[in-house]
């Protein structure tokens, strides 16, 4: 049986003349364990089952020489301890799966697909094995043959136990990240708030005073693409454009699936541009725009599932298009199709500033408000100054010329300055922590200051800034509960704490403690109100510890939506496309179709080798995937 692994492989291309390579008929004396009913592999398979997922193996190439890598030397003699335990390399070239040939030219042998190199055995390599200071093992297993010159290559691994081939790995690439934290937010005011850490609350105006993001769905009428202001009045009223200015807009415009694809996309682009022209008419500053247009295959295939048109789901995209050339059929489908013509808008806004631009007058007004102890007016002027620094109409160091008395009376102004300083210099966590520690001395009982300070310390721990003590930090998180901070915020902090803690345990090779943190996160995340960014960070985190099924589960509820975040969708594909059972399902094929619609170039890149930014070109062994790739990517 062949297995899949997630360790990255460094691939290598050479330049030389091409010749034929042949593997001996006796396969170098290797034995198929099936012939011995698998008994010969019992010991080897038990070691692999006991091996922590964090102990990985794979290949790297240095000056044409192929090296087997094992990331923990303690497992070397567990995997190899008999004279004829060893390793063999199956070198596979991309041209075996060329779109120019029907099927593929890969070998149908039980042990290899490409060219199988002669095995190397423990009796020969145990004395020449290299172990570096991190405990990584390097075993030279062969040299790339000149005959494979100039070809894109991948390497499959055969683990051998007493000459029996007991384990075969086809490696594929899953990018991961152990440091992506959940959103914690920062309180934007010293006034205690009942805000929680759900998706809505984290993006509410309590957290974003001068800027906000809004999402809208705008239906389209059939064949109409020019819109008047009255057509989107509900949208413009919601935006409150007298008070806010649009900074940028992202539009995903969807057409129904009948008709030529090129015409459908052009129509959607015209509709999107018409909406942008109307919105641009409300302001002089140019709106930054990002428009993507595609056909709405996701909702079409979903909506016909339980209808009398469900038979269409078994057809290819091209076959469905041909069927929909029948006007009678499209008329019958119109009640379904009409809901698929729409745009989904993501609009970022910023509050309009009504004060003058003279820097000296602003400074004088702010200082007068401080002298008069008119805190509300001082806060309003301070917010204007921050906004102008952000849009570069005031210099970055402008606030340094203004002194705010470090007393309780002016605590809210100092608080807002500390928030602004963090937002403008997110990597300088040391300074931000010092500012909030000063605030804590001024207002020791303020729970919002304590929360922000703890959140910054968690981020500081990621970058090893500020000499953070893990146990003290955990105590600070738990103390927030007694101060009345919402449990959902504390739970997010604890998950982030364990995200960082698990990496430190890995550095100590303390796998049991690492496992405790990973299991804690897996048990807790499902109780949160999460968003797509949280889900992606968690999926990357779980992938880093080879918990691919957990990572898949985190993303699953998002990937079936037509407006799914592109990074979420493609990460889900990265995790799952190697599973032939999934790719055979109609539901999964709908997800792939959505990926092609969102970013065809990115989808096609999946079928590159890891070295060329893909997952593995050996996906093309699956005939359905090969047909999809060859029809959609190489034509």
């Amino acid at each position: 049986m062949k297995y899949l692994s997630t360790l990255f492989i460094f691939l290598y291309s050479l330049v030389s003349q091409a010749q034929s390579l042949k593997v001996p008929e006796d396969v170098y004396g290797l034995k198929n364990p099936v012939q011995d009913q698998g008994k010969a592999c019992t010991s080897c398979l038990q070691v692999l089952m006991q091996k922590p997922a964090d102990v990985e193996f794979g290949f790297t190439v240095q000056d044409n020489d192929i090296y087997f890598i094992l990331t923990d030397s303690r497992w070397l003699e567990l995997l190899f301890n008999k004279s004829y335990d060893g390793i063999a390399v199956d070198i596979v070239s991309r041209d075996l799966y060329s779109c120019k040939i029907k099927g593929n030219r890969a070998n149908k042998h039980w042990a290899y697909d490409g060219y199988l190199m002669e095995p190397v055995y423990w009796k020969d390599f145990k004395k020449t094995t290299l172990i570096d200071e991190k405990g990584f093992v390097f075993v030279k297993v062969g040299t790339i043959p000149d005959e494979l010159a100039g070809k894109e290559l991948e390497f499959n691994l055969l683990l051998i136990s007493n000459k029996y081939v007991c384990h075969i790995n086809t490696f594929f690439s899953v990018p991961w990240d152990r440091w992506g934290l959940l959103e914690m937010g920062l309180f934007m005011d010293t006034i205690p708030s009942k805000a929680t850490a759900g998706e809505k609350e984290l993006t509410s105006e309590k957290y974003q005073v001068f800027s906000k993001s809004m999402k809208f769905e705008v239906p389209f009428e059939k064949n109409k693409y020019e819109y008047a202001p009255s057509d989107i009045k509900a949208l413009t009223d919601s935006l409150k454009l007298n008070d806010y200015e649009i900074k940028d807009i992202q539009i995903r415009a969807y057409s129904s699936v009948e008709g030529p694809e090129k015409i459908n996309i052009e129509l959607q682009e015209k509709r999107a541009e018409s909406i942008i022209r109307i919105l641009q008419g409300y302001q002089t500053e140019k709106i930054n725009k990002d428009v993507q247009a595609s056909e709405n295959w996701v909702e079409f295939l979903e909506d016909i599932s339980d209808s009398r048109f469900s038979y269409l789901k078994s057809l290819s995209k091209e076959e469905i298009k041909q069927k929909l050339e029948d006007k009678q059929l499209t008329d019958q489908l119109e009640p379904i199709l009409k809901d698929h013509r729409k745009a989904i808008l993501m609009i970022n806004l910023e509050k309009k500033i009504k004060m003058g631009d003279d820097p000296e007058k602003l400074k004088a007004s702010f200082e007068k408000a401080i002298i008069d102890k008119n805190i509300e007016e001082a806060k309003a002027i301070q917010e204007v100054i921050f906004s102008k620094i952000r849009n570069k109409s005031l210099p970055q160091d402008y606030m340094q010329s203004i002194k705010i008395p470090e007393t309780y009376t002016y605590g809210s102004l100092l608080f807002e300055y500390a928030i602004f300083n963090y937002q403008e210099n997110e990597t300088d966590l040391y300074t931000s922590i010092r500012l909030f520690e000063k605030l804590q001395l001024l207002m020791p009982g303020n729970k919002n200051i304590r929360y922000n300070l703890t959140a910054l310390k968690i981020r500081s721990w990621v970058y090893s800034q500020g000499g953070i003590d893990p146990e003290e930090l955990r105590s600070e998180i738990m103390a927030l509960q007694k101060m009345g901070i919402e449990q959902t915020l504390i739970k997010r902090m604890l998950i982030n704490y364990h995200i960082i803690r698990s990496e430190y345990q890995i550095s100590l090779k303390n796998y049991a403690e690492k496992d405790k943190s990973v299991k804690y996160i897996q048990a807790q995340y499902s109780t949160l109100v999460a968003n797509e960014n949280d889900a992606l960070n968690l999926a990357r985190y779980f992938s880093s510890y080879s918990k691919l099924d957990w990572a898949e589960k985190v993303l699953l509820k998002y990937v079936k939506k037509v407006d799914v975040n592109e990074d979420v969708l493609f990460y889900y594909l990265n995790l799952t496309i190697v599973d032939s059972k999934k790719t055979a399902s109609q539901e999964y094929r709908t997800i792939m179709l959505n990926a092609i619609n969102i970013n065809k170039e990115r989808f096609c890149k999946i079928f590159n080798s890891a070295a060329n930014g893909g997952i593995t070109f050996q996906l093309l062994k699956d005939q359905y995937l090969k047909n999809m790739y060859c029809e959609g990517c190489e034509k």
Side-chain angles (χ1 to χ4, degrees):
M1 179 180 291
K2 294 193 176 182
Y3 298 86
L4 294 167
S5 177
T6 60
L7 183 66
F8 288 103
I9 311 168
F10 301 90
L11 305 183
Y12 198 83
S13 293
L14 304 172
V15 180
S16 182
Q17 75 280 6
Q19 300 174 5
S20 61
L21 288 167
K22 291 185 178 179
V23 178
E25 287 187 13
D26 70 346
V27 203
Y28 307 107
L30 293 176
K31 301 175 184 179
N32 188 341
V34 174
Q35 298 169 354
D36 196 30
Q37 299 176 340
K39 294 178 182 178
C41 291
T42 301
S43 176
C44 175
L45 295 178
Q46 284 178 346
V47 171
L48 291 174
M49 289 177 64
Q50 293 166 5
K51 178 184 71 66
D54 313 287
V55 177
E56 298 182 293
F57 43 65
F59 292 111
T60 187
V61 175
Q62 305 256 342
D63 298 325
N64 295 10
D65 292 331
I66 307 169
Y67 289 86
F68 170 77
I69 304 175
L70 177 67
T71 61
D72 189 337
S73 61
R74 294 178 297 181
W75 285 82
L76 180 64
E77 292 191 25
L78 293 173
L79 285 169
F80 312 106
N81 52 62
K82 296 187 289 293
S83 293
Y84 286 98
D85 291 352
I87 305 159
V89 186
D90 176 19
I91 305 179
V92 184
S93 61
R94 186 186 179 95
D95 58 6
L96 295 176
Y97 309 103
S98 170
C99 289
K100 295 177 182 179
I101 59 174
K102 188 175 182 180
N104 62 70
R105 292 202 300 265
N107 292 290
K108 304 296 190 243
H109 197 276
W110 61 269
Y112 62 95
D113 290 333
Y115 170 67
L116 185 65
M117 300 187 70
E118 186 172 357
V120 294
Y121 291 109
W122 176 241
K123 66 184 181 67
D124 300 315
F125 69 71
K126 61 183 176 181
K127 292 181 180 179
T128 58
T129 295
L130 300 175
I131 301 176
D132 71 7
E133 66 279 1
K134 294 181 180 179
F136 279 38
V137 176
F138 294 84
V139 179
K140 183 179 176 180
V141 292
T143 300
I144 295 176
D146 290 342
E147 290 86 347
L148 292 174
K151 296 183 179 182
E152 186 177 358
L153 305 176
E154 293 184 352
F155 305 101
N156 297 335
L157 167 68
L158 282 69
L159 286 180
I160 302 163
S161 179
N162 200 25
K163 290 200 173 183
Y164 282 92
V165 176
C166 292
H167 183 83
I168 301 177
N169 267 65
T170 298
F171 296 96
F172 68 101
S173 168
V174 177
W176 50 263
D177 180 6
R178 289 179 180 163
W179 300 103
L181 304 182
L182 301 189
E183 293 178 17
M184 291 179 288
L186 289 181
F187 284 102
M188 305 293 282
D189 200 316
T190 52
I191 301 170
S193 164
K194 293 182 179 179
T196 60
E199 181 176 359
K200 293 180 181 178
E201 291 82 0
L202 278 172
T203 55
S204 71
E205 289 191 47
K206 184 67 183 175
Y207 282 80
Q208 302 291 334
V209 177
F210 271 89
S211 62
K212 61 180 179 178
S213 297
M214 301 184 75
K215 185 175 182 178
F216 299 92
E217 184 174 306
V218 178
F220 289 140
E221 293 180 32
K222 188 175 183 178
N223 297 324
K224 179 178 178 179
Y225 62 85
E226 285 291 344
Y227 289 83
S230 57
D231 293 325
I232 59 168
K233 188 175 185 302
L235 167 64
T236 53
D237 286 349
S238 298
L239 295 174
K240 299 180 182 178
L241 294 176
N242 289 329
D243 299 320
Y244 285 88
E245 201 160 57
I246 299 172
K247 304 302 293 181
D248 55 73
I249 181 170
Q250 181 188 78
I251 299 182
R252 285 193 180 179
Y254 299 96
S255 70
S256 50
V257 300
E258 81 283 9
E261 182 176 14
K262 182 178 179 183
I263 293 175
N264 285 342
I265 291 176
E266 288 176 353
L267 180 62
Q268 291 308 99
E269 288 172 344
K270 288 179 180 179
R271 287 167 168 165
E273 291 293 342
S274 178
I275 291 174
I276 291 172
R277 280 196 297 273
I278 294 170
L279 295 175
Q280 186 67 71
Y282 286 89
Q283 64 186 65
T284 56
E285 185 178 344
K286 186 177 180 181
I287 298 172
N288 295 316
K289 61 184 180 179
D290 175 18
V291 177
Q292 297 181 36
S294 61
E295 295 178 321
N296 196 343
W297 284 97
V298 172
E299 292 183 346
F300 174 75
L301 294 171
E302 177 68 23
D303 291 345
I304 65 172
S305 293
D306 297 322
S307 74
R308 60 193 175 100
F309 306 106
S310 59
Y311 67 92
L312 293 170
K313 290 189 70 173
S314 63
L315 305 179
S316 69
K317 177 179 172 180
E318 289 72 21
E319 289 170 334
I320 294 173
K321 285 279 191 185
Q322 290 176 1
K323 292 283 187 184
L324 294 180
E325 290 176 4
D326 182 345
K327 187 176 183 304
Q328 184 177 357
L329 177 59
T330 55
D331 287 345
Q332 293 171 349
L333 280 164
E334 180 56 25
I336 294 175
L337 296 173
K338 67 180 178 63
D339 293 330
H340 301 164
R341 305 176 193 113
K342 60 186 177 184
I344 296 174
L345 285 62
M346 282 295 300
I347 302 175
N348 294 317
L349 303 109
E350 191 171 281
K351 193 173 285 187
K352 292 180 178 177
I353 304 300
K354 298 177 182 178
M355 291 192 179
D357 292 328
D358 188 313
E360 291 304 317
K361 287 184 179 180
L362 271 178
K363 180 181 177 182
S365 298
F366 184 63
E367 289 176 339
K368 183 177 186 304
I370 287 176
I371 292 170
D372 294 342
K373 296 186 179 180
N374 189 339
I375 305 303
E376 289 305 310
E377 183 175 348
K379 284 177 69 174
I381 297 170
Q382 187 183 48
E383 287 171 343
V384 171
I385 291 170
F386 292 160
S387 180
K388 289 183 178 295
I389 292 173
R390 289 189 186 101
N391 64 31
K392 300 188 180 351
S393 58
L394 284 175
Q396 192 71 32
D397 60 354
Y398 182 82
M399 279 299 297
Q400 293 177 16
S401 66
I402 302 174
K403 299 298 181 185
I404 303 173
E406 294 184 3
T407 65
Y408 182 90
T409 302
Y410 302 100
S412 60
L413 295 173
L414 294 167
F415 183 98
E416 298 301 331
Y417 175 71
I419 291 288
F420 173 76
N421 181 78
Y422 167 72
Q423 291 174 336
E424 293 298 295
N425 305 281
E426 288 191 20
T427 58
D428 184 11
L429 291 164
Y430 179 83
T431 299
S432 294
I433 288 172
R434 298 290 83 82
L435 288 172
F436 275 100
E437 285 178 337
K438 286 183 179 181
L439 281 167
Q440 191 174 27
L441 293 174
L442 287 177
M443 293 176 278
N446 189 286
K447 67 179 184 180
N448 290 358
I449 292 173
R450 286 283 296 275
Y451 176 86
N452 287 359
L453 183 56
T454 307
L456 290 172
K457 286 182 178 180
I458 291 171
R459 294 193 178 280
S460 177
W461 192 22
V462 172
Y463 301 107
S464 300
Q465 293 184 19
I468 302 300
D469 180 278
E471 289 307 313
E472 285 185 12
L473 181 57
R474 190 179 187 282
S475 296
E476 288 184 33
I477 295 171
M478 301 310 296
L480 291 172
Q481 190 167 356
K482 296 178 181 178
M483 296 186 73
I485 293 294
E486 290 287 337
Q487 184 61 36
T488 48
L489 285 170
I490 293 170
K491 188 176 291 186
R492 281 175 171 267
M493 283 187 162
L494 286 172
I495 287 176
N496 286 341
Y497 173 88
H498 281 282
I499 285 174
I500 306 167
R501 179 181 182 271
S502 60
E503 177 64 11
Y504 278 94
Q505 296 303 326
I506 278 288
S507 68
L508 299 173
K509 297 192 183 301
N510 191 341
Y511 302 126
E513 283 301 311
K514 177 273 300 180
D515 286 341
K516 287 181 183 179
S517 285
V518 176
K519 288 176 181 177
Y520 174 88
I521 294 165
Q522 193 270 340
Q524 294 297 319
Y525 84 87
S526 59
T527 63
L528 295 175
V529 179
N531 55 40
E532 286 180 310
N533 186 59
D534 286 338
L536 183 57
N537 282 341
L538 280 171
R540 287 176 174 273
Y541 171 80
F542 288 140
S543 295
S544 76
Y545 293 116
S546 300
K547 302 293 186 183
L548 302 188
D549 52 338
W550 294 1
E552 177 189 341
K553 186 177 179 181
V554 169
L555 300 178
L556 186 59
K557 75 174 184 178
Y558 300 102
V559 297
K560 298 178 183 179
K561 300 188 299 182
V562 67
D563 61 333
V564 60
N565 175 284
E566 181 180 322
D567 290 336
V568 168
L569 175 59
F570 277 90
Y571 199 75
Y572 177 80
L573 289 179
N574 198 295
L575 290 169
T576 55
I577 200 168
V578 296
D579 186 340
S580 58
K581 290 182 180 178
K582 283 187 169 62
T583 57
S585 73
Q586 187 59 55
E587 181 180 63
Y588 194 88
R589 293 178 180 186
T590 301
I591 292 170
M592 288 193 290
L593 199 55
N594 194 29
I596 294 172
N597 283 337
I598 290 174
N599 192 330
K600 181 178 177 180
E601 181 180 355
R602 188 171 179 179
F603 179 81
C604 294
K605 197 173 181 180
I606 285 173
F607 299 90
N608 291 347
S609 64
N612 290 327
I615 297 175
T616 168
F617 58 67
Q618 293 181 74
L619 288 168
L620 298 172
K621 282 191 285 190
D622 182 308
Q623 194 58 50
Y624 178 84
L625 291 180
K626 183 177 180 183
N627 291 342
M628 175 178 275
Y629 172 82
C630 293
E631 290 174 7
C633 300
E634 292 215 348
K635 283 188 177 179

